[in-house]
Amino acid sequence: MISQPDPTSVQDFAGTTCVVTGGLGFIGSNVVHALVGRGATVRIVDALVPSHGGNLRNVAGLAVDVLHAGIGEAAVADVVDGADVVFNLAGQVSHTASMVDPQQDLRLNALDHAGFLETLRRVNPNARIVHASTRQVYGRVERQPVDEETAAHPLDVNGVAKLAGEQLHMVYNHAFGMPATSLRLTNVYGPRQRLTSDELGFLPVFIRRALLGETIRIFGDGTQRRDCLHVSDVVGALLAATADTAVGRVYNVGHPLDHSLAEIAALIVAQTSSTGGVELVPWPDDHQRIDIGSFHTDSHRILDELGWSAQMSIEDGIADTVCFYRGDPWYQSPT
Amino acid sequence: MISQPDPTSVQDFAGTTCVVTGGLGFIGSNVVHALVGRGATVRIVDALVPSHGGNLRNVAGLAVDVLHAGIGEAAVADVVDGADVVFNLAGQVSHTASMVDPQQDLRLNALDHAGFLETLRRVNPNARIVHASTRQVYGRVERQPVDEETAAHPLDVNGVAKLAGEQLHMVYNHAFGMPATSLRLTNVYGPRQRLTSDELGFLPVFIRRALLGETIRIFGDGTQRRDCLHVSDVVGALLAATADTAVGRVYNVGHPLDHSLAEIAALIVAQTSSTGGVELVPWPDDHQRIDIGSFHTDSHRILDELGWSAQMSIEDGIADTVCFYRGDPWYQSPT
């Protein structure tokens, strides 16, 4: 189901031992599938926080070790011991949830990562670390597209906490020589995303509603623009980021083409043949107060330095995604 | 002992109720003295963390209420209730300590501030908030002087956590309309600074050693440059930052003139008539790994928008500081 990332940008993982934190979640489980397919031994750490996207079903049928724990817990030491690569994808992703419980978001996205990095420093300081950050760290930016040297002004606690988590990885790289890289991901969609939460971004909500024939509701006038990435492209970027030249670097990871939310919704409606259509609705307060407006990622740095660029168009990506969920309707109504 | 800040940049505080968190510490207690002198009713919240600079002696003789608590604690609600202005200066300032216990720094500089802002949001969302951040958020910057739109790449956990704390204030301003301002302070010196710790920056160490006739040791070759602020100028900036036009803004607060560490040490030796002199020593590992090199603050934004600029030369500032500690030798050897 997952398209292969560009093989020229992918390291060879056969025979390696990889840890994936958050490995039962959306992006994490797609990384796990890719690594297992490349011959890696994979160990997963996942806290299975109820409101997040983690589910054992996401790795069903794969021979992997799973530790059910937060990354700040002591038991993680045994999991990271001896690992060659750590994909550190654990965290809380909901912007609205971060405004309801700011301290919880800071714990999951920053404080626990400090604990995790301390564990790695003690147990396995030479492990290659790739951390997942987010374009949410930038906040609302006037000049588009947005490159990595743009000053970050996050508009919600999630952006603050993710930036802190990312910067902790860079501090541990600089101060202790631990080989870390962080990727600031744009909006991601694709197989194994939790569709049934309204808190994980607009893409899974749009896709779920269209699959169920319900009306997609767009907040505002629909002219807001975003670049979106199929998860297979994100997996490709995460694997490419294990290159030696990426150590100590932060990269934007986005798509060269952006679209309005109205265009994206119309595409999803068309590809699902949904009869629910699309309607524009007023912004709910809790979303509007942290809205960043239009955002287009400038991904030139990762193209120039690592040779990565998005391979899948949004048309192909949505088609692949719809096909996956049609074949696994559990995702639309999990027990 | 404290010079008056420029009166044109200072609001009138007579009859107001002000809360100063970290009010028993170095900068906090100087703010408390200034506010009491201007007729404000002052309430202090201070956790008196042993390794920090807080001491009841710093406010001896002043009629102020003191709550001995961390800013994240529930009891703080009663203190902030009804306050007009909150100077939120509590935090951990040691860069090296932040690398020994990263989670503690994140708790004190970020997580507890989220708790504090939640308390304010619940109890007194209209209170004017001025938060103390630090130029440490920038990390090592090639292009000097450094303005506020420079991307932050902190080199130590303290810089990461302080940036998160600052950004939380901006998030609460943007999302909930709470009138907050944050000031990124450069190296600060002056009366009521704890001299007996080696963890609070180079200035108090240099001053203590010179006062005791001991040799000042400079790490490296002494060519590294910094701009330094007398605490009276910082107090002036903090009071000026209560202006309505400062809401939602982040300002650099530094001195227009910078000096090499060798020049600063020589000045301190001269003004103390110390016979200990100055020597250059190799960098200790724990300092070198988080060293940011030379740094010169660009403070044009706060000058343009609030009319604040540093008033005291380093020569006058060191003279004032030496005079204070000669008159209160307790600071050189506290019990």
Side-chain angles (χ1 to χ4, degrees), chain A residues 102-103 106 111 172 174 289, chain B residues 102-103 106 111 172 174 289:
Chain A
Q103 292 185 302
L106 287 161
L111 211 67
Y172 275 72
H174 178 87
R289 66 167 65 109
Chain B
Q103 293 184 302
L106 287 160
L111 211 67
Y172 275 71
H174 178 86
R289 66 166 66 108

Side-chain angles (χ1 to χ4, degrees), chain B residues 26 51-54 92-96 187-188 193-205 287:
Chain B
F26 166 39
S51 60
H52 296 193
Q92 132 95 348
V93 302
S94 170
H95 305 161
T96 47
N187 289 73
V188 186
Q193 187 164 28
R194 183 177 173 199
L195 295 187
T196 53
S197 169
D198 286 348
E199 302 288 318
L200 302 176
F202 72 91
L203 284 163
V205 179
H287 284 78

Side-chain angles (χ1 to χ4, degrees), chain A residues 245-260:
Chain A
T245 50
V247 168
R249 302 291 283 162
V250 172
Y251 296 101
N252 284 348
V253 177
H255 201 285
L257 299 180
D258 65 338
H259 302 273
S260 73

Side-chain angles (χ1 to χ4, degrees), chain A:
Chain A
M1 188 58 56
I2 304 291
S3 303
Q4 296 296 313
D6 176 6
T8 62
S9 68
V10 174
Q11 314 300 305
D12 182 11
F13 291 89
T16 65
T17 297
C18 298
V19 171
V20 183
T21 75
L24 299 181
F26 167 38
I27 296 173
S29 65
N30 281 285
V31 171
V32 169
H33 279 263
L35 291 170
V36 169
R38 283 165 177 75
T41 300
V42 178
R43 305 170 183 168
I44 291 172
V45 180
D46 202 302
L48 286 172
V49 179
S51 60
H52 296 194
N55 198 301
L56 268 167
R57 187 182 183 101
N58 283 334
V59 297
L62 297 184
V64 291
D65 287 330
V66 178
L67 175 68
H68 180 189
I71 59 171
E73 295 181 36
V76 171
D78 289 341
V79 178
V80 299
D81 192 13
D84 301 295
V85 185
V86 175
F87 293 94
N88 187 15
L89 313 180
Q92 131 95 347
V93 302
S94 170
H95 306 162
T96 47
S98 80
M99 300 302 288
V100 175
D101 190 347
Q103 292 185 302
Q104 172 76 345
D105 198 277
L106 287 161
R107 267 189 290 270
L108 293 174
N109 286 325
L111 211 67
D112 285 354
H113 285 268
F116 184 64
L117 287 163
E118 280 293 303
T119 299
L120 273 171
R121 182 159 85 98
R122 183 168 52 82
V123 174
N124 188 359
N126 298 319
R128 192 68 180 83
I129 310 165
V130 180
H131 169 255
S133 183
T134 165
R135 62 109 181 88
Q136 192 69 5
V137 302
Y138 292 110
R140 182 185 286 269
V141 180
E142 296 304 322
R143 206 180 62 183
Q144 308 285 337
V146 180
D147 73 17
E148 293 86 348
E149 292 307 311
T150 307
H153 300 300
L155 291 192
D156 59 31
V157 174
N158 184 252
V160 173
K162 289 294 293 185
L163 181 61
E166 167 196 312
Q167 291 179 333
L168 287 170
H169 285 76
M170 294 301 106
V171 165
Y172 275 72
N173 171 251
H174 178 87
F176 304 119
M178 290 165 58
T181 304
S182 187
L183 302 187
R184 293 175 175 171
L185 308 178
T186 185
N187 289 72
V188 187
Y189 66 94
R192 303 188 184 89
Q193 187 165 30
R194 183 176 174 200
L195 296 186
T196 53
S197 168
D198 285 348
E199 302 287 319
L200 303 176
F202 71 92
L203 284 163
V205 178
F206 283 15
I207 292 166
R208 181 193 74 223
R209 289 192 154 266
L211 285 167
L212 296 174
E214 298 173 355
T215 303
I216 294 177
R217 292 175 306 198
I218 301 178
F219 303 148
D221 64 5
T223 61
Q224 196 176 39
R225 301 181 73 81
R226 290 293 161 81
D227 62 300
C228 306
L229 272 187
H230 187 272
V231 68
S232 65
D233 275 326
V234 174
V235 170
L238 289 162
L239 301 194
T242 61
D244 291 343
T245 50
V247 168
R249 302 291 283 162
V250 172
Y251 296 101
N252 284 348
V253 177
H255 201 285
L257 299 180
D258 65 338
H259 302 273
S260 73
L261 265 57
E263 291 166 354
I264 296 167
L267 177 67
I268 292 171
V269 166
Q271 295 211 355
T272 53
S273 305
S274 167
T275 56
V278 178
E279 68 173 337
L280 305 178
V281 299
W283 279 94
D285 279 351
D286 61 338
H287 283 79
Q288 182 156 36
R289 66 167 65 109
I290 59 174
D291 174 55
I292 64 164
S294 289
F295 193 98
H296 191 187
T297 310
D298 181 335
S299 307
H300 276 89
R301 180 185 284 181
I302 191 168
L303 175 62
D304 294 345
E305 298 187 10
L306 305 183
W308 177 90
S309 63
Q311 299 298 305
M312 198 177 291
S313 69
I314 192 164
E315 292 80 7
D316 289 350
I318 295 293
D320 173 85
T321 303
V322 169
C323 179
F324 174 87
Y325 291 116
R326 292 264 195 243
D328 201 342
W330 171 87
Y331 282 91
Q332 296 164 54
S333 55
T335 50

Side-chain angles (χ1 to χ4, degrees), chain B residues 12-18 35-36 38-42 82 84:
Chain B
D12 182 11
F13 290 89
T16 65
T17 297
C18 298
L35 290 171
V36 170
R38 283 165 177 76
T41 299
V42 178
D84 301 294

